[in-house]
Amino acid sequence: MNDLHGIIFAYRSNPHLRELTQPRNTCSVPFGGRYRLVDFMLSNMVNAGITDIGIIVHESYQSLLDHVGSGKDWDLSRKHGGLRILPPFSFAEQNGEYHGVLQALSSVSSYLQKIRQDYVILAGGDLIVNLPVSDIFQHHLDSGADITAVCTRTPTGSDPRDTVYCTIGANGLITDAAVHPNQPEGCECLQVYILSKSLMMSLVEHSASHGVISFSRGVLQGMADTLRISPYIFQGYVARTHSVRQYFEKSMDLLNPAVRADLFNPQFPIRTKDQSNPSTYYGPEASAVNSLIADGCIIEGEVDHSILFRGVRVAKGAKVSHCVLMQSAYVGENSILSYVIGDKNVRIRSNRTLMGHSTYPLAIAKNTEI
Amino acid sequence: MKKECIAMLLAGGQGSRLYALTTHIAKPAVPFGGKYRIIDFPLSNCVNSGIDTVGVLTQYRPMELNSYVGNGQPWDLDRLDGGVHILPPYVSAGEQGTWYKGTANAIYQNMSFIELYDPDYVLILSGDHIYKMNYAEMLSHHKKEGAACTISVLEVTMEEATRFGIMNVDEHDTIYEFEEKPAHPKSNLASMGIYIFTWSKLRQYLMEDEADPRSSNDFGKNIIPAMLAAGEKMTAYRFSGYWKDVGTIDSLWDANMDLLSPSSSINLHDTDWPIYARPAGVPPQFMGETAKVSHSLVTGGSSICGSVENSVLFHSVTVEEGASIRYSILMPGAVVRAGATVEYAILAERAVVEAGARVGAPPGGDDWGIAVVAANVTVGAGCTVPPRAMLSEDLKKEGK
């Protein structure tokens, strides 16, 4: 499919993720044992045959740049097209981060003008989902809509005050939107949109001249009368992580085989940066149950109900339960961890006891030694 | 562009002693160690040693090997200048094309490739050994000694020496004699099949060898003896560390088991000398509620609900509840259904062991050996594959 161009928004840094977003923006938060959040949307687009993708960033994108590199792990390192990272072109008119999708788009308008495809898909880089982008595009072409908005009827569990809900009218089109209400109203909007390049350019122009910065307020609410906005109801698993607790819950969702089957469909693989890790070694006294464990780990203690990223080491006698341990975390001998999220390179020395709770998992910042 | 040293990797071997494991693939493409194929070891050694130009000489069943090596990206060998090149036999204009007649002939047929890089030295490697080695150190030994040829050697026991090509050396480790599998070895220095030649010398001996119709065009049988006879300076480079030929079912099984032994010196978790592989791109492994895994290597994409002990599991392996795996190697995509038992066995890619079946048995009896189930072969429910069996067709219970 070469008529669709991907744009991923990776400019948000969610303060509710606390320690997890100290060193990085939301899209490069590690998830699922070997991925970064942005891997899901990048792979969704690549799996639909999209060859040109721009990622709009604003700040703390060092970690994201390091992760995506030239894009070769997604086959996006191309002579023509491929992956582009788009930092703000000009700081003159901005102070602080982008406040909305339209504002972000208008700040990279010179890039947008050069898009060689007729259609664009706009999506956040922090959705955990395996979206059938080809089907959605076909739906868009078949429906003749001006804009297709991807929605779900299954609550993703995100805070309504941080979510957009769509009202679907009798004609099957979106007639209104509730932006950040106190209670969920109707269909949850995933804020993934397909529209023509020309419509996007005119929306960006309109937004710049009228000071409209938010797509949901400016377009879903403001233009529902004049544009045909068609919903695409996605039935599969989708998750967002707006808080540390939610990050923990969504991580634990992966221990459910149905969720894994949905997210990690071998026909539509989620790709990530390759690290050339060896297989994971389980020692003679190791025990690992109900856990998702990446390659390159050395497990000599006990692991239960946990997600272990690449290169994690659990020493003899250590007990890790209900934990998420990111890349190269180390748990020393006889240490006991429960409901802990250990960020990259966290080092827990021997004989330590760390307990969080399911309602308040203990997040330990990157590189901390305890 | 000129290169000081390039590598030529002999990957055309049929690997007939691996039987069912190499009916569809060349030996260097055989999976090894949970994540790798045999060829990853010499390729990674090259890159880690600073050699960025590698010719891979293929002949037997090259399709899978070709697509695995591809453009060399996983080894950082996708270069504009140099990089990895697959070199199959070819037909020149007006000539009769031939297969590679021997290891030396394979290099002879690719002299024009070597001369593209105008190298001072050529490193000759084979695709059937597991080891980590810094070829740069071997090259500096070669240069220091001013040798025409340096052969990497390993000290083995005198008993083992009868199974190897043995180098007899003087007090300066200069080789004066080469004996292939001697009944009464004079030395315990076994050739590892790794040679560095000064290219101008090798070129001359390859031309002479090719002109000799009685020659079998082999490095060990012809080139090395000819150079010794002519009085060329040949030196041994002593290597100490893990090295294993994995040309047989037993040695392949042994070498995989060595990865589980803390005392073996091959450590794949060592980040100073990484071994690279083409990634499978699979999600993390899942350990179910009933999983029991000890002293084993397990790889991404696998789902384990049974018990796994002293085994090496590659990516995307399934072990169902109640199944038991002991002292075995399960290659990518192998499936072991509920209640089945796999012991002292190798299951090749996508082999399936149905419920309640039994493959292999613990050592015992005169006719014992590792059981092998070939790629894509299914062992039917309740069937038994005895030790040392080589199953290359589906097995079904009689009367079903």
Side-chain angles (χ1 to χ4, degrees):
Chain A
M1 189 201 306
N2 286 316
D3 209 22
L4 194 55
H5 185 102
I7 293 180
I8 294 177
F9 300 99
Y11 57 82
R12 278 186 66 175
S13 213
N14 186 338
H16 299 297
L17 284 169
R18 301 195 320 251
E19 288 83 354
L20 305 182
T21 44
Q22 265 175 24
R24 52 177 87 90
N25 78 34
T26 312
C27 294
S28 54
V29 166
F31 187 82
R34 63 195 293 271
Y35 305 97
R36 302 293 182 124
L37 292 181
V38 73
D39 291 344
F40 291 88
M41 196 50 73
L42 261 181
S43 302
N44 292 170
M45 291 184 178
V46 169
N47 289 339
I50 295 177
T51 57
D52 297 8
I53 297 175
I55 301 185
I56 299 184
V57 296
H58 195 283
E59 52 195 13
S60 34
Y61 53 84
Q62 171 66 43
S63 150
L64 186 73
L65 279 184
D66 183 47
H67 179 69
V68 298
S70 65
K72 72 176 178 181
D73 289 302
W74 297 265
D75 272 349
L76 288 173
S77 174
R78 309 270 180 122
K79 277 226 157 62
H80 202 45
L83 185 73
R84 286 291 168 80
I85 302 284
L86 306 167
F89 283 9
S90 141
F91 282 95
E93 27 183 313
Q94 270 116 40
N95 33 26
E97 66 175 287
Y98 297 139
H99 296 287
V101 158
L102 291 175
Q103 185 188 22
L105 285 172
S106 64
S107 76
V108 298
S109 57
S110 59
Y111 170 83
L112 302 180
Q113 276 152 14
K114 280 183 268 173
I115 288 176
R116 52 191 179 135
Q117 289 82 5
D118 291 334
Y119 294 89
V120 287
I121 176 166
L122 310 177
D126 58 352
L127 273 184
I128 300 157
V129 66
N130 201 329
L131 269 188
V133 172
S134 292
D135 290 355
I136 300 168
F137 185 40
Q138 195 57 51
H139 170 95
H140 178 76
L141 297 176
D142 294 347
S143 70
D146 295 311
I147 298 174
T148 294
V150 182
C151 302
T152 177
R153 293 193 194 278
T154 329
T156 62
S158 71
D159 185 344
R161 283 164 297 183
D162 215 2
T163 309
V164 175
Y165 298 89
C166 294
T167 312
I168 300 173
N171 57 357
L173 297 177
I174 292 174
T175 53
D176 194 10
V179 179
H180 306 170
N182 284 324
Q183 296 294 326
E185 300 174 16
C187 236
E188 190 170 330
C189 177
L190 298 181
Q191 299 177 58
V192 174
Y193 309 108
I194 291 182
L195 65 166
S196 68
K197 179 193 166 186
S198 57
L199 176 58
M200 177 183 69
M201 296 311 293
S202 68
L203 290 176
V204 167
E205 208 168 287
H206 175 84
S207 99
S209 55
H210 291 73
V212 183
I213 54 176
S214 151
F215 196 91
S216 38
R217 288 187 196 281
V219 180
L220 294 187
Q221 283 181 342
M223 299 184 184
D225 299 341
T226 50
L227 293 174
R228 287 170 54 84
I229 307 174
S230 166
Y232 174 95
I233 309 294
F234 175 64
Q235 312 278 2
Y237 179 83
V238 55
R240 275 193 245 246
T241 60
H242 282 317
S243 64
V244 170
R245 179 178 167 183
Q246 213 174 39
Y247 174 85
F248 182 78
E249 289 169 358
K250 298 304 174 187
S251 293
M252 291 302 151
D253 273 0
L254 297 175
L255 299 180
N256 175 350
V259 170
R260 285 202 312 280
D262 214 4
L263 274 183
F264 302 125
N265 179 347
Q267 301 300 313
F268 301 98
I270 304 301
R271 300 152 201 255
T272 188
K273 184 179 173 183
D274 174 49
Q275 294 183 334
S276 299
N277 301 87
S279 304
T280 284
Y281 173 72
Y282 294 87
E285 291 147 49
S287 151
V289 294
N290 223 328
S291 295
L292 196 64
I293 300 175
D295 287 349
C297 297
I298 297 180
I299 316 282
E300 297 189 275
E302 294 174 25
V303 179
D304 180 17
H305 276 90
S306 296
I307 314 284
L308 269 50
F309 284 67
R310 294 180 276 196
V312 167
R313 296 192 176 208
V314 178
K316 278 184 191 136
K319 290 190 167 75
V320 171
S321 69
H322 300 92
C323 289
V324 177
L325 297 178
M326 296 185 194
Q327 196 185 323
S328 303
Y330 171 83
V331 182
E333 285 186 22
N334 304 315
S335 281
I336 299 173
L337 271 63
S338 181
Y339 294 99
V340 169
I341 300 172
D343 206 322
K344 211 173 152 181
N345 296 325
V346 156
R347 212 180 141 75
I348 315 293
R349 290 195 169 184
S350 303
N351 304 308
R352 303 289 190 264
T353 302
L354 297 174
M355 300 275 177
H357 188 268
S358 61
T359 57
Y360 195 92
L362 185 61
I364 302 171
K366 186 176 169 182
N367 299 330
T368 306
E369 179 160 344
I370 294 180
Chain B
M1 194 177 163
K2 184 175 173 63
K3 301 274 181 190
E4 185 189 26
C5 181
I6 71 168
M8 298 294 274
L9 204 164
L10 300 162
Q14 187 173 351
S16 53
R17 286 175 304 153
L18 288 174
Y19 305 97
L21 296 180
T22 48
T23 48
H24 301 291
I25 53 175
K27 181 156 69 168
V30 168
F32 180 82
K35 198 97 189 213
Y36 310 95
R37 297 186 187 239
I38 297 170
I39 196 173
D40 289 328
F41 287 80
L43 281 181
S44 301
N45 285 338
C46 281
V47 173
N48 291 337
S49 305
I51 293 172
D52 65 4
T53 306
V54 184
V56 177
L57 299 118
T58 60
Q59 175 155 291
Y60 173 80
R61 294 268 180 205
M63 197 275 279
E64 189 146 332
L65 191 59
N66 290 355
S67 62
Y68 183 73
V69 172
N71 67 349
Q73 190 228 306
W75 305 270
D76 272 349
L77 286 171
D78 51 335
R79 308 279 177 110
L80 291 179
D81 176 25
V84 68
H85 297 264
I86 298 277
L87 303 170
Y90 60 92
V91 180
S92 305
E95 287 177 31
Q96 198 79 20
T98 57
W99 291 116
Y100 294 143
K101 290 180 281 177
T103 50
N105 176 256
I107 304 296
Y108 174 83
Q109 289 201 34
N110 288 288
M111 288 206 305
S112 56
F113 169 80
I114 296 173
E115 298 199 321
L116 279 179
Y117 298 98
D118 186 23
D120 297 324
Y121 309 100
V122 174
L123 170 67
I124 308 287
L125 301 169
S126 64
D128 40 14
H129 301 140
I130 301 300
Y131 63 107
K132 289 182 173 184
M133 179 173 172
N134 190 342
Y135 303 134
E137 286 176 14
M138 180 173 169
L139 180 61
S140 59
H141 176 88
H142 179 86
K143 289 196 279 189
K144 197 180 83 202
E145 295 294 320
C149 170
T150 298
I151 300 174
S152 182
V153 296
L154 189 75
E155 291 182 30
V156 296
T157 64
M158 277 304 193
E159 188 186 306
E160 290 173 318
T162 56
R163 296 190 285 113
F164 287 98
I166 295 297
M167 300 296 155
N168 297 324
V169 299
D170 68 11
E171 68 275 21
H172 304 295
D173 276 353
T174 300
I175 301 166
Y176 65 87
E177 191 183 20
F178 169 74
E179 290 182 289
E180 185 66 33
K181 295 178 185 151
H184 304 286
K186 291 178 214 156
S187 122
N188 66 340
L189 298 180
S191 166
M192 296 163 62
I194 301 164
Y195 312 107
I196 289 177
F197 290 96
T198 299
W199 172 237
S200 56
K201 291 282 184 192
L202 177 61
R203 190 173 186 283
Q204 172 198 333
Y205 283 94
L206 285 175
M207 310 269 274
E208 287 171 18
D209 181 66
E210 191 61 23
D212 178 0
R214 289 163 304 167
S215 172
S216 48
N217 310 110
D218 183 87
F219 275 101
K221 290 192 192 110
N222 309 103
I223 301 290
I224 306 291
M227 290 180 79
L228 274 172
E232 296 288 356
K233 171 139 187 181
M234 315 274 283
T235 174
Y237 172 76
R238 288 175 190 255
F239 174 76
S240 60
Y242 186 91
W243 177 87
K244 198 149 212 158
D245 185 316
V246 287
T248 65
I249 295 290
D250 285 352
S251 62
L252 180 68
W253 183 85
D254 276 349
N256 275 283
M257 291 300 139
D258 284 345
L259 297 175
L260 300 175
S261 160
S263 58
S264 89
S265 47
I266 185 116
N267 176 9
L268 296 177
H269 282 85
D270 164 23
T271 48
D272 290 343
W273 198 267
I275 302 298
Y276 302 99
R278 187 170 283 280
V282 289
Q285 53 199 273
F286 178 70
M287 293 291 158
E289 198 72 63
T290 50
K292 268 188 79 171
V293 181
S294 71
H295 203 235
S296 293
L297 287 170
V298 183
T299 313
S302 294
S303 172
I304 313 297
C305 295
S307 102
V308 176
E309 204 184 306
N310 291 288
S311 295
V312 176
L313 273 52
F314 287 72
H315 74 81
S316 309
V317 163
T318 305
V319 178
E320 290 188 354
E321 191 171 346
S324 165
I325 314 292
R326 296 176 69 240
Y327 295 95
S328 294
I329 299 162
L330 274 57
M331 291 184 178
V335 176
V336 181
R337 302 265 180 228
T341 302
V342 176
E343 293 181 302
Y344 294 88
I346 299 175
L347 304 184
E349 294 104 311
R350 299 169 300 279
V352 178
V353 178
E354 293 287 4
R358 175 172 275 279
V359 177
D366 294 339
D367 210 28
W368 182 84
I370 299 298
V372 177
V373 179
N376 302 313
V377 166
T378 298
V379 179
C383 291
T384 300
V385 177
R388 208 169 168 176
M390 189 70 58
L391 189 70
S392 49
E393 281 176 14
D394 289 356
L395 184 66
K396 281 191 191 132
K397 207 152 194 187
E398 280 173 47
K400 281 194 180 175

